[in-house]
């Protein structure tokens, strides 16, 4: 073909090939270049509708990162006024109205142009689980009102639900390990990576109506009802998790009070060994027996006023609290309490919510020894009400309950979850990590928005390969067309030469 080409044709061919080379090079290098755009921010809202109160958590993250999974930060927390939504069973409209001050606050934080793209969730825990057991119709009415209230705001509302106990424990575990970067870590190369040789931490949660324990055991989980499997960023996690309904600190101490009344010589007068000496209060039987956790006596009676008097006896307090549990394991070789299977605790643990707040008040969140913890609690429980009020005037509303809370936590962790003097040091009492509250809400949002994918994203690699293939095919086609074009030109010139001849 080259013999029939003129010099001009050769120049055209060279120019065309150069152009094809530039185009191909651009296609190859394009996916390797960073595209600089203005940073985008996304927001997320999660209501934690607990048994005693509701809180709104406002999260944000940079959306220009890989798979829209930039590091999540907590922007703000808003405490919803009033009690938990389950308390509005007889007036459900108030449950919805109670959420509005915090929603209004969120609208001042999230830019208006981003509000309609803000995923919003409400998760209810043990308080609503108990109400559903007690009266499912009232539970549905409360939920209908909170949904109606949230839908009045310009957000991407994705639903309200009652979490199971295992979900509550599992999402708390995800939150802990996400914040501590044991699941995924954002590298200097601005990519999420699974950290190598990093152990995950267990999660210990104590609410008002339930308590959860979640951890990765050393062996096989024998009871599948306590097993949950997560695949996060290409790594499988087989977790043990269990939630004990009625063993949150509020409900447990109601059970304690009912048990003390049952053992009292006078049903109207209760001597309480966990309350400080010199403290006295009146409660009604209606308030005491208002939960499925505390069944009313078999012989019903009209509402009565009960007088509760503190005796400040920590030994009797611990004995009374231990009677709330059944520590016999039955058919299980290893168990927690009440016959529930539990493998031996293993690894480090994060203890938050009620565990943290009580121990923080007693200044016991600094990894002190079990001996020091015991002596501190015993000394506090032996302090009279008069001395406590003088020392802690700002805590007067809950001050009489801290001995009960502390002894209950010790009993739950040591006798219930089977920590001992050797494993006690593995428990870290904490409220926040990196200015973000530890609890189930962040893990819940991360899971529902798929911000921790089950597999490592391969989108960038796939795109790069596809561009290479497109560039190669394009070059091949263009070269074929060039070859065909100049072959045709040569053939035409030969015919002209023959005709001239």
């Amino acid at each position: 073909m080259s013999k029939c080409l003129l010099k001009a044709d050769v120049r055209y061919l060279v120019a065309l090939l150069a152009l094809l080379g530039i185009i191909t090079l651009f296609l190859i290098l394009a996916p390797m270049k960073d595209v600089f755009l203005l940073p985008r921010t996304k927001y997320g809202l999660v209501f934690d509708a607990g048994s005693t109160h509701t809180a709104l958590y406002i999260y944000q993250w940079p959306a220009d990162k890989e798979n829209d999974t930039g590091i999540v930060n907590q922007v703000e927390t808003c405490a919803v006024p009033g009690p938990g939504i389950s308390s509005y069973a007889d007036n459900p409209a108030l449950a919805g109205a109670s959420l509005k001050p915090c929603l209004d606050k969120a609208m001042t934080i999230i830019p208006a142009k981003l509000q309609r793209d803000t995923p919003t969730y409400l998760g209810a825990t043990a308080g609503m689980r108990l109400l559903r057991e007690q009266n499912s119709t009232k539970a549905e009415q409360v939920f209908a009102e909170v949904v109606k209230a949230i839908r009045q705001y310009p957000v991407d509302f994705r639903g309200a639900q009652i979490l199971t106990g295992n979900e509550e424990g599992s999402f708390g575990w995800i939150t802990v390990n996400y914040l501590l970067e044991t699941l995924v870590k954002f590298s200097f190369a601005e990519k999420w990576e699974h950290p190598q040789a990093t152990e995950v931490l267990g999660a210990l949660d104590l609410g008002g109506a339930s308590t959860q324990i979640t951890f990765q055991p050393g062996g096989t989980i024998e009871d599948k009802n306590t097993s949950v499997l997560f695949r996060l960023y290409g790594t499988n996690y087989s977790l043990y998790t269990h939630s004990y309904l009625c063993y949150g600190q509020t409900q447990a101490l109601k059970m304690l009070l009912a048990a003390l009344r049952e053992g009292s010589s006078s049903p109207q007068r209760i001597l309480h060994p966990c309350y400080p000496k010199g403290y006295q209060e009146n409660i009604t039987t209606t308030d005491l027996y208002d939960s499925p956790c505390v069944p009313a006596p078999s012989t019903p009676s009209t509402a009565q006023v009960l007088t509760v008097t503190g005796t400040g006896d920590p030994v009797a307090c611990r004995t009374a609290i231990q009677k709330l549990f059944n520590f016999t394991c039955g058919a299980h070789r290893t168990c927690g309490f009440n016959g529930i299977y539990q493998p031996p605790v293993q690894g480090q643990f994060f203890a938050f919510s009620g565990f943290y707040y009580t121990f923080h008040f007693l200044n016991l969140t600094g990894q002190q020894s079990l001996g020091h913890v015991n002596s501190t609690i015993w000394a506090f429980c032996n302090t009279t009400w008069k001395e406590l009020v003088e020392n802690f005037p700002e805590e007067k509303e809950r001050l009489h309950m801290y001995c009960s809370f502390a002894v209950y936590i010790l009993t739950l962790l040591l006798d219930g979850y089977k920590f001992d003097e050797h494993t006690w040091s593995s428990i870290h009492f904490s409220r926040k990590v990196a200015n973000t509250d530890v609890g189930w809400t962040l893990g819940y949002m991360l899971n529902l928005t798929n911000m921790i994918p089950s597999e490592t994203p391969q989108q960038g690699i796939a795109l790069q390969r596809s561009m290479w293939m497109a560039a190669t095919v394009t070059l091949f086609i263009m070269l074929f067309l060039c070859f065909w074009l100049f072959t045709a030109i040569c053939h035409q010139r030969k015919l002209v030469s023959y005709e001239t001849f």
Side-chain angles (χ1 to χ4, degrees), residues 126-296:
M128 285 299 292
R129 291 201 291 270
L130 288 173
L131 178 59
R132 184 172 57 186
E133 280 188 19
Q134 206 169 20
N135 191 318
S136 60
T137 300
K138 288 186 176 182
E140 291 171 4
Q141 290 171 344
V142 168
F143 254 53
E145 290 296 329
V146 299
V147 167
K148 185 168 72 173
I150 298 173
R151 288 197 186 281
Q152 295 174 9
Y153 289 79
V155 295
D156 180 15
F157 180 52
R158 300 186 181 181
Q161 72 174 93
I162 299 176
L163 277 68
T164 67
N166 283 4
E167 286 174 334
E168 189 177 357
S170 299
F171 293 139
W173 180 89
I174 289 178
T175 296
V176 167
N177 287 283
Y178 175 86
L179 293 174
L180 294 174
E181 297 187 333
T182 59
L183 300 177
V184 288
K185 185 178 180 66
F186 204 65
S187 69
F188 289 110
E190 293 198 341
K191 285 187 176 294
W192 284 108
E193 297 175 350
H194 176 67
Q196 301 299 318
T198 301
E199 291 187 8
V200 294
L201 279 78
L204 297 166
D205 189 2
L206 178 61
S210 67
T211 180
Q212 289 74 232
I213 178 171
T214 307
F215 64 99
Q216 189 172 38
T220 303
I221 301 173
E222 298 174 10
D223 183 353
K224 298 306 177 185
N225 293 324
T226 63
S227 174
V228 62
L229 179 66
F230 281 109
R231 183 167 178 81
L232 306 172
Y233 245 79
T235 303
N236 290 325
Y237 298 95
S238 179
L239 305 178
Y240 168 86
T241 185
H242 187 72
S243 175
Y244 291 90
L245 190 60
C246 295
Y247 283 85
Q249 55 188 10
T250 302
Q251 293 298 322
L253 296 186
K254 277 194 174 186
M255 292 193 293
L256 172 63
L257 193 55
L260 292 172
R261 184 194 182 208
E262 187 177 338
S264 174
S265 57
S266 172
Q268 278 71 47
R269 187 168 183 268
I270 303 172
L271 298 179
H272 202 312
C274 305
Y275 285 177
K277 185 179 294 185
Y279 176 82
Q280 185 170 294
E281 70 174 3
N282 293 327
I283 65 168
T284 66
T285 51
T286 303
D287 291 333
L288 179 58
Y289 301 109
D290 65 348
S291 161
C293 300
V294 190

